Amino acid sequence: MSAGATGAPPRVAVIGANGHGRWHRRVIAPLHDAGRVRLVALVDVRPIEPEPAAPLPADAAVFTDHAQMLAVARPDVVVVCTPPHTHLPIARDVLAAGADVLLEKPPVLSMAEHRLLAAAVAETGRACQVGFQALGSAALAELTAAVTAGRLGTVTGIATVAAWQRSDGYYARAPWAGRRTLHGRPVLDGALANPLAHAVMQCLAVAEAVTGTPVRPATIELERYRVRPIEVDDTAALRVVPRSGPPIVAAVTLAGEDFVAGEVIVTGSAGRAVLEYPTDRLLLPGDDAPREVPGRRGLLENLLAHRADPAGTPLIAPLARTAPFTAVLEAVQAAPEPTLLGGDLVTAAGQGPDRVLTVRGVNAALREAAGSGALLSELGVPWAVPPVRTELTREEEA
Ligand SMILES: NC(=O)c1ccc[n+]([C@@H]2O[C@H](COP(=O)([O-])OP(=O)(O)OC[C@H]3O[C@@H](n4cnc5c(N)ncnc54)[C@H](O)[C@@H]3O)[C@@H](O)[C@H]2O)c1
């Protein structure tokens, strides 16, 4: 019998309990302690790592196989935090078992997978929330409200710039790190697909506010670069031109000279707004300085509230909302290998797993791209290559 029918708290399980799964365990622990959920099971193919801030309840079970867990522990809500290439089969099994799913981003790797998962959501009538936690930010809500209220005038461009550093150790963290395929199957790590996916999704959310409808990409242009012998991008410039609404540009790197946390820049006829999305610092037209807009609605808590009142509490990040992100991912997956940068352009610092590589001049180039809406090749950056261009047909969007 389901938790809803008995009045008992929803039974929660986590599949993929190590790695980022430990963060989910820390989110669940206080909800479990408060009696709002009951953590019934953890699943991982590797031994479960202890998480001091979220000790395993005495009666919670540990499994190595998710199908066995679904049959035995009968959860109501399942967090899926396994590597991206495993998401579709595991999420479908969760839905078929009658549970709602909080599926980590990127939810799936192609539009074909998106359609299969959307069909499973529709057939089962269960909920699928995707782990784009920055969508629950109050600062984003204030920005989109300002856009909708016309404070920026007509929005002409949306862009993001981010410059992070990732060490050699980062690329040794998991078998799928830095890879485009693993054992012949697509996996897709990379700056756009993984750590800076949130930057892209925040832009798509602002674009959604401009037109009042989800973004429908007409053209996706992509320049991808790497500083290591990896199979994916650590530096990229992306432009999505939607069928309606302003273009979106993402200019990002994991080989940055200076740290830029991640800015979403919205340009309009009446001014410019900047949201630093990892810190929720927002600058609106007329503001003297950025100010923190604290508050994030948690994705698990929102999913629990949605279960209790589906009509009254919409999901923050329903699968359908992530379709344009997956269209971008599909273009990334289909693009040729990123251009390898080296020689005098790339500087190394640190030793062993802590070694980081930076691209000379990359911060200035990315900032100019985000500020102007141009790709690096259009700015005459000497190491830039022409973009790969994908035209989407209306059938492909569906
Ligand atoms: N929302 C965010 O900000 C954020 C941050 C980091 C990672 N992520 C996402 O979380 C997911 C996991 O990332 P990670 O870095 O923890 O990866 P990871 O490779 O460390 O995998 C997480 C765990 O899943 C386990 N696992 C693998 N296959 C499994 C299976 N079939 N059944 C059960 N367990 C399995 C692994 O043993 C590992 O312990 C990815 O989708 C990643 O993009 C999201």
Side-chain angles (χ1 to χ4, degrees), residues 283-312:
L283 179 90
L284 290 177
D287 288 350
D288 295 333
R291 75 204 138 79
E292 196 183 338
V293 182
R296 284 212 176 184
R297 291 188 294 152
L299 294 179
L300 179 59
E301 292 205 48
N302 169 252
L303 176 56
L304 297 172
H306 175 76
R307 281 169 56 83
D309 179 13

Side-chain angles (χ1 to χ4, degrees), residues 20-170:
H20 187 58
R22 289 172 62 169
W23 181 84
H24 286 286
R25 286 156 62 190
R26 291 196 295 275
V27 170
I28 293 166
L31 296 172
H32 175 94
D33 292 344
R36 293 186 52 201
V37 301
R38 191 171 149 215
L39 178 64
V40 291
L42 298 182
V43 187
D44 206 292
V45 291
R46 291 191 290 127
I48 304 286
E49 293 164 10
E51 175 50 57
L56 193 62
D59 57 351
V62 170
F63 297 83
T64 55
D65 179 77
H66 75 270
Q68 194 194 7
M69 182 279 289
L70 291 170
V72 174
R74 306 200 65 76
D76 302 299
V77 175
V78 179
V79 177
V80 176
C81 190
T82 53
H85 57 288
T86 66
H87 285 183
L88 177 66
I90 294 178
R92 286 167 94 186
D93 287 349
V94 169
L95 294 166
D100 295 319
V101 63
L102 170 49
L103 177 61
E104 258 308 339
K105 54 99 259 228
V108 287
L109 298 178
S110 68
M111 286 308 291
E113 286 195 351
H114 177 93
R115 285 188 280 271
L116 286 171
L117 188 53
V121 170
E123 276 160 27
T124 58
R126 301 315 321 176
C128 178
Q129 173 102 296
V130 179
F132 282 111
Q133 69 269 14
L135 291 178
S137 135
L140 176 68
E142 190 172 328
L143 171 59
T144 54
V147 164
T148 312
R151 267 188 75 181
L152 282 80
T154 303
V155 175
T156 52
I158 301 168
T160 186
V161 59
W164 294 6
Q165 282 190 345
R166 286 292 180 260
S167 64
D168 287 356
Y170 172 82

